[in-house]
Amino acid sequence: MTEQVSKQFAEKFSGKPLIARSPGRVNIIGEHTDYNDGFVLPAAIDKAVYVAVAKRDDDIIKLYASNFNEAFETAISRIQPSQQWHTYILGIVDQLLKNGHPISGFNLVIDGDVPAGAGLSSSAAVECAVVFALNELFNLELHKMQMVKLAQQAEHAYAGVQCGIMDMFASMFGKKDHAIKLDCRSLDYEYIPLQLEGYKLVLFNSNVKHSLASSEYNVRRQQCEAGIALIQPHHPQVKKLRDANMQMLDDYVKPADELLYRRCKYMVEEIERLTTACDDLKHGNLTSLGKKMFATHEGLSNDYEVSCKELDFLAAAVKNNPAVLGARMMGGGFGGCTINIVKEEAIDELSATLYKNYKTAMGMDLTTYVVQTDDGTAILE
Ligand code: GLA
């Protein structure tokens, strides 16, 4: 992929580019918890975005996306958000300028193999690759956590998704053979070895593009805040759902609003579940971890309501399969992938059977990715 992106750069532009790579991510457990100041357990994967970039002598930005075979050009002073692929790149430029980091024009080629709309954070991978490359190119001396926050702001401002910090963090800080337990309040993190001993992480892509995700995602965020607003008058120390417990929900949210109650209940349960799931992972108790993943799916589907019939089908289809320790929908929801812990030798057969059954039931093709964990954002050349 590095060679491919350099070659494309040479075809479109001149000069020797700098090349950065930033991976997609999985999340083992802890979904929608990041913007509630809870914990998450993501890992970077061996699917990544690559950018090749070099300075220009003027204030023009010229971009080329290999996956779309499409070029885009703008003056720095004229950048604006759009619904297209370049919004993630320009969103980074916008944040750099807003935060007082002067940059001039550049040429950039982008390529990669993180499927878009599959819940693997292709947009965060783009943002992290671009901010990392521009930081190096223009000697901005930003450190990784600053770049993570800047990428998150770019997503808010230019993609319109009020996302939490998990995706950018995982892409930037990933470490091969490890998951990362991140405390989304303090931003303290701990690398936990991911020893799957004969099992693998398998993603089943429903191929439902999570188009509802951005609007409904923002609604879920608001619902969590509405839940807090009901609790806070009685417990002023509760700033986020991380600080709430079931008793508080029963006392103040349930009587006021049944829907908000279900949203908040999932959240309080998930934040608790993640902590014990991390202990399972540390103790090598994958069976117990897997059970919690199924429980997370139930919560996301019934209480938080961010699943869809295709994802529910995929989670249910493996539930009683002894070769599958755990499965659940992953990421923002409304489409994308399920994440599964599957016994290595059962993967091929499971994938073939599921492909057939999914096609019959949902009329759609299923795509299987067997993923490995990988390192986070880096300059390659
Ligand atoms: C998306 C967001 C993340 C996170 C997940 C759900 O991927 O970008 O911040 O909230 O959904 O866990």
Side-chain angles (χ1 to χ4, degrees):
M1 198 62 97
T2 316
E3 244 168 64
Q4 192 173 310
V5 81
S6 326
K7 194 164 151 252
Q8 282 155 346
F9 190 92
E11 280 165 17
K12 303 285 167 195
F13 306 112
S14 58
K16 172 130 180 65
L18 180 149
I19 296 176
R21 170 192 181 276
S22 200
R25 63 103 189 88
V26 291
N27 185 27
I28 293 167
I29 201 160
E31 216 64 272
H32 285 265
T33 44
D34 57 356
Y35 54 85
N36 285 293
D37 272 4
F39 296 85
V40 288
L41 189 61
I45 55 170
D46 56 345
K47 291 187 178 297
V49 165
Y50 293 75
V51 298
V53 56
K55 276 187 200 170
R56 297 174 56 89
D57 298 332
D58 53 18
D59 279 338
I60 304 293
I61 297 176
K62 284 195 182 189
L63 309 174
Y64 177 77
S66 311
N67 289 336
F68 305 109
N69 188 21
E70 226 179 88
F72 180 80
E73 178 176 337
T74 180
I76 290 198
S77 56
R78 300 175 73 96
I79 59 166
Q80 51 182 346
S82 72
Q83 299 290 324
Q84 298 179 56
W85 57 269
H86 36 81
T87 208
Y88 305 103
I89 302 171
L90 301 181
I92 291 294
V93 174
D94 175 58
Q95 284 303 318
L96 287 173
L97 298 175
K98 275 193 185 137
N99 287 283
H101 305 296
I103 61 168
S104 54
F106 57 87
N107 295 325
L108 181 148
V109 170
I110 183 160
D111 200 356
D113 59 0
V114 189
L120 304 184
S121 295
S122 58
S123 62
V126 171
E127 290 150 352
C128 288
V130 172
V131 72
F132 207 84
L134 295 180
N135 180 53
E136 182 82 11
L137 193 66
F138 293 103
N139 295 316
L140 304 177
E141 296 187 350
L142 296 168
H143 55 74
K144 278 186 165 187
M145 199 58 98
Q146 282 174 298
M147 290 191 262
V148 164
K149 289 182 183 167
L150 209 136
Q152 185 192 13
Q153 288 312 312
E155 182 86 23
H156 287 193
Y158 263 52
V161 183
Q162 299 299 309
C163 66
I165 203 161
M166 169 172 73
D167 303 345
M168 296 79 190
F169 175 85
S171 187
M172 191 71 77
F173 283 86
K175 184 169 167 183
K176 197 170 171 42
D177 298 326
H178 291 77
I180 324 170
K181 181 184 180 189
L182 171 68
D183 178 338
C184 299
R185 170 167 278 168
S186 64
L187 299 183
D188 288 342
Y189 57 94
E190 178 191 355
Y191 289 106
I192 303 183
L194 197 61
Q195 281 154 348
L196 295 178
E197 319 277 334
Y199 286 82
K200 291 224 146 145
L201 292 179
V202 180
L203 308 179
F204 292 120
N205 188 352
S206 67
N207 285 313
V208 175
K209 298 273 181 232
H210 56 183
S211 53
L212 250 181
S214 46
S215 55
E216 277 299 314
Y217 184 92
N218 294 347
V219 171
R220 290 300 173 281
R221 237 189 132 127
Q222 288 154 12
Q223 288 170 332
C224 292
E225 276 152 28
I228 297 286
L230 291 169
I231 301 171
Q232 232 175 29
H234 312 278
H235 297 280
Q237 79 280 13
V238 175
K239 305 279 186 255
K240 292 274 182 175
L241 285 176
R242 156 102 175 246
D243 310 311
N245 58 38
M246 287 309 282
Q247 190 63 54
M248 294 173 187
L249 302 186
D250 286 340
D251 290 348
Y252 306 113
V253 185
K254 193 166 198 222
D257 190 320
E258 190 61 40
L259 180 78
L260 287 188
Y261 175 73
R262 281 195 286 122
R263 303 292 190 253
C264 297
K265 174 167 129 347
Y266 161 74
M267 194 52 63
V268 168
E269 285 171 354
E270 180 72 352
I271 290 173
E272 166 70 24
R273 194 157 36 223
L274 181 132
T275 310
T276 46
C278 285
D279 295 338
D280 290 341
L281 190 57
K282 283 181 187 165
H283 298 133
N285 192 345
L286 295 179
T287 308
S288 176
L289 171 67
K291 284 195 181 127
K292 294 189 176 82
M293 291 167 72
F294 281 120
T296 293
H297 185 84
E298 291 296 309
L300 286 166
S301 179
N302 301 327
D303 292 331
Y304 215 60
E305 293 185 283
V306 292
S307 186
C308 59
K309 63 178 191 313
E310 293 84 358
L311 290 170
D312 288 345
F313 176 90
L314 293 174
V318 297
K319 188 137 193 195
N320 296 315
N321 186 327
V324 183
L325 295 183
R328 63 177 197 82
M329 59 146 280
M330 187 180 74
F334 304 103
C337 295
T338 58
I339 177 169
N340 303 256
I341 303 183
V342 187
K343 206 175 194 64
E344 226 170 314
E345 56 268 25
I347 295 174
D348 288 347
E349 197 190 321
L350 173 66
S351 166
T353 312
L354 210 51
Y355 179 90
K356 228 171 39 210
N357 295 349
Y358 185 66
K359 183 95 181 177
T360 309
M362 299 291 151
M364 312 238 328
D365 287 326
L366 184 76
T367 318
T368 301
Y369 313 116
V370 181
V371 291
Q372 313 276 358
T373 58
D374 212 335
D375 289 329
T377 320
I379 300 289
L380 302 182
E381 279 180 10

